[in-house]
Amino acid sequence: LVSALLLALALVFIVMAITFESLLLPFAIICTVPLYAGVGAYWTLYLTGTAMNSVGWIGIIILIGVAVRNGVVLIDRIQQLRQEEPGMDRTAVVIEAAHNRVRPILMTTLTAVLGLVPMALTEPPGESIDYRALATCIAGGLTVSAVLTLWVVPLMYTLLDDSSRALN
């Protein structure tokens, strides 16, 4: 599962690099993965008293693909605004993009989390697979990801933009 986790990170990075046509921009999003996977998923497991199992690790892998979407939406909007209004200050662009994407990010996160609540709360019948850890990891990770995407991704974008300008 660790190999699958690393492969998922690599594939997500490659897809984002192709999408953004940049090797630098995906780092702004990938840097948040340990934050929401570690903080969101593991703290939610701890707070709910749900035991981590192999199905929970699959939930972490799913979380990487799903929660990265919020960062992609935000970075894409930042890039659009910078192309549409080249004279606009970068900080104003980042704030405007975050303001534009708050509602879509919160709506998709809330929808996914509410859809996972029944799975997270339902006791598995008999000898069937227990999906509570999977649902708890994804729901907790998505919740933290929604908040961190709006704060950490713009910060990382700004830092990476400054360092790319310093190198040029």
Side-chain angles (χ1 to χ4, degrees):
L1 288 174
V2 172
S3 298
L5 181 75
L6 294 174
L7 181 63
L9 279 171
L11 290 174
V12 165
F13 181 83
I14 290 168
V15 168
M16 287 190 301
I18 291 169
T19 302
F20 293 134
E21 297 176 354
S22 166
L23 291 175
L24 196 61
L25 290 177
F27 281 112
I29 300 168
I30 290 292
C31 290
T32 63
V33 170
L35 292 173
Y36 58 77
V39 174
Y42 291 119
W43 273 102
T44 307
L45 286 170
Y46 174 74
L47 292 174
T48 60
T50 305
M52 181 64 159
N53 55 22
S54 59
V55 178
W57 280 105
I58 294 169
I60 297 287
I61 295 169
I62 293 169
L63 179 61
I64 291 169
V66 175
V68 163
R69 173 200 68 228
N70 293 337
V72 170
V73 166
L74 182 58
I75 295 289
D76 185 51
R77 183 63 184 152
I78 292 171
Q79 292 297 97
Q80 285 176 354
L81 285 174
R82 288 188 91 174
Q83 288 176 354
E84 291 172 5
E85 301 181 34
M88 193 173 180
D89 181 49
R90 183 193 61 200
T91 305
V93 167
V94 170
I95 292 170
E96 179 68 23
H99 182 265
N100 290 345
R101 295 300 182 234
V102 165
R103 187 172 177 198
I105 288 171
L106 292 179
M107 287 174 57
T108 57
T109 300
L110 185 63
T111 302
V113 169
L114 290 177
L116 289 167
V117 167
M119 187 188 303
L121 298 177
T122 303
E123 190 79 25
E127 295 293 321
S128 64
I129 298 173
D130 186 3
Y131 289 107
R132 288 180 295 179
L134 180 137
T136 303
C137 284
I138 295 173
L142 280 176
T143 303
V144 171
S145 167
V147 174
L148 291 180
T149 295
L150 296 169
W151 289 357
V152 178
V153 171
L155 172 68
M156 290 304 299
Y157 176 83
T158 305
L159 292 173
L160 289 172
D161 190 48
D162 286 344
S163 51
S164 71
R165 288 181 186 191
L167 293 174
N168 289 335

